[in-house]
Amino acid sequence: MEVGMAFRDYNGRISSMDFHKATNYLVTASDDESIRLYDVQNAMCLKTINSKKYGVDLVRFTSHPTTVIYSSKNGWDESLRLLSLNDNKYLRYFKGHRDRVVSLSLCPRKECFISGGLDQTVLLWDQRAEKAQGLLRVQGRPAISYDDQGMVFAIAYGGHIRMFDMRKYENGPFEIFSLGGDVSDANEVKFSSDGRLILLTTSAGQIHVLDSFRGITISTYNVKPVSGNGTLEASFSPDGKFIVSGSGDGSVSAWSIAKGKVAYWSSSDVEPPLIKWAPESLMFVTGSTELSFWVPDLSKSGSLIGAK
């Protein structure tokens, strides 16, 4: 893989990125208080919206390709906002967190979402209502994610991943998986597209891959730990066979879950880049002080075809 296109017009570090599952759209949030909408297929920035009053930290697409939910970064208002990118209008405010929201996941099948904050709560929301529909208390910084079916969600913190049934979450987790002694802050938790694997990154620079049914750790990869408020992010390839990840030294690595490390790209950056693999596509993007689109290196395509 190599960088095929890069957007270098950011005036701050990219804090969040999300692909829309049914279109070619990508949305980013940045420390320059902007939300940007991209057409990935044509490598074009379609729109830039500023959020000077509230700032912007995390951003996620709803089912609609021009509607997003995002969290604030101003330190005085921790509300989440439902925003129409078409006309730059707020459709709803979601009030409930009392400290910064650090994890946000939207249900892929229903109009609901979950958020986790430094106030040690996980709130469950319906997009049509301003007040949270449920609350779960945690003991640490939570990382949260729905599975691709929207039937199960995971909450990771304190060296464990807790699995909840969406229909009866109030009964507590139906499974608790141990991370084998890594009790550092959970950064990101994700399911593979087929739901069979769970990926978790931690501030200690560890990337854990677990069997989502049995909780057995399949592999653990190590990169340089993150520092300060940095977030270590990694992403499954669409087929669930590979993982790409940032690192605390700014580099990017790729692993085959079956065979181990397969690629490494160094960087002059000093913070971990955000990283997302495009749905059903041979492309991933990284976000730092610039947005980079990574595509196959055609000069090596012959060797890849031969290996296949």
Side-chain angles (χ1 to χ4, degrees):
M1 305 288 280
E2 63 178 355
V3 176
M5 174 70 77
F7 292 86
R8 300 185 172 92
D9 56 340
Y10 286 86
N11 294 315
R13 195 169 187 86
I14 296 171
S15 59
S16 181
M17 308 185 297
D18 192 36
F19 281 100
H20 190 265
K21 296 183 182 300
T23 67
N24 292 310
Y25 286 171
L26 168 74
V27 67
T28 69
S30 169
D31 290 346
D32 63 10
E33 301 174 328
S34 71
I35 297 172
R36 305 189 190 195
L37 179 67
Y38 291 87
D39 178 338
V40 174
Q41 186 172 9
N42 297 303
M44 293 174 55
C45 182
L46 301 177
K47 184 168 290 191
T48 299
I49 292 176
N50 293 313
S51 178
K52 298 295 184 182
K53 181 177 180 180
Y54 302 110
V56 55
D57 192 6
L58 303 180
V59 64
R60 298 289 184 269
F61 277 113
T62 67
S63 58
H64 196 282
T66 58
T67 306
V68 298
I69 293 174
Y70 77 92
S71 65
S72 305
K73 202 172 188 177
N74 56 20
W76 55 268
D77 186 342
E78 307 304 338
S79 301
L80 296 156
R81 291 169 177 80
L82 180 64
L83 173 69
S84 169
L85 299 177
N86 277 331
D87 48 16
N88 191 18
K89 288 186 177 180
Y90 293 116
L91 305 178
R92 191 158 290 111
Y93 295 80
F94 305 100
K95 298 179 181 291
H97 283 291
R98 297 181 180 276
D99 205 341
R100 180 184 162 209
V101 174
V102 293
S103 194
L104 182 62
S105 180
L106 272 69
C107 181
R109 305 294 180 182
K110 298 179 181 180
E111 298 297 299
C112 53
F113 66 99
I114 50 179
S115 59
L118 294 180
D119 56 2
Q120 298 191 343
T121 66
V122 172
L123 299 181
L124 293 88
W125 307 87
D126 186 315
Q127 291 184 34
R128 298 162 295 185
E130 294 184 356
K131 293 185 178 180
Q133 308 298 296
L135 181 151
L136 296 168
R137 298 195 181 278
V138 298
Q139 285 80 48
R141 173 193 171 116
I144 57 179
S145 179
Y146 282 102
D147 75 333
D148 202 50
Q149 299 300 314
M151 300 298 293
V152 170
F153 63 88
I155 303 177
Y157 65 90
H160 294 84
I161 301 175
R162 292 160 173 82
M163 307 288 286
F164 291 81
D165 186 326
M166 183 62 193
R167 297 162 297 183
K168 44 188 177 182
Y169 63 86
E170 63 275 5
N171 294 339
F174 63 85
E175 291 282 5
I176 301 178
F177 302 147
S178 172
L179 298 175
D182 182 3
V183 295
S184 59
D185 281 346
N187 280 182
E188 294 275 344
V189 63
K190 299 175 182 177
F191 288 85
S192 59
S193 58
D194 61 8
R196 296 179 179 274
L197 300 175
I198 301 175
L199 179 157
L200 175 70
T201 64
T202 70
S203 60
Q206 294 197 319
I207 304 157
H208 304 279
V209 181
L210 291 82
D211 181 302
S212 64
F213 297 103
R214 296 176 295 168
I216 297 172
T217 299
I218 296 172
S219 54
T220 296
Y221 312 115
N222 292 282
V223 296
K224 186 174 180 179
V226 299
S227 59
N229 294 322
T231 298
L232 179 64
E233 186 166 289
S235 182
F236 282 112
S237 61
D239 61 6
K241 295 181 179 179
F242 295 88
I243 289 171
V244 286
S245 170
S247 171
D249 60 6
S251 64
V252 175
S253 296
W255 292 269
S256 162
I257 294 176
K259 299 179 180 180
K261 198 165 197 174
V262 295
Y264 170 83
W265 299 272
S266 61
S267 172
S268 59
D269 203 350
V270 294
E271 293 187 46
L274 302 182
I275 193 158
K276 288 277 193 306
W277 203 297
E280 301 179 6
S281 177
L282 191 55
M283 182 191 77
F284 64 85
V285 297
T286 56
S288 53
T289 54
E290 60 185 55
L291 178 67
S292 301
F293 292 69
W294 294 70
V295 294
D297 182 347
L298 297 180
S299 68
K300 300 178 180 178
S301 61
S303 61
L304 290 172
I305 294 171
K308 187 176 180 180

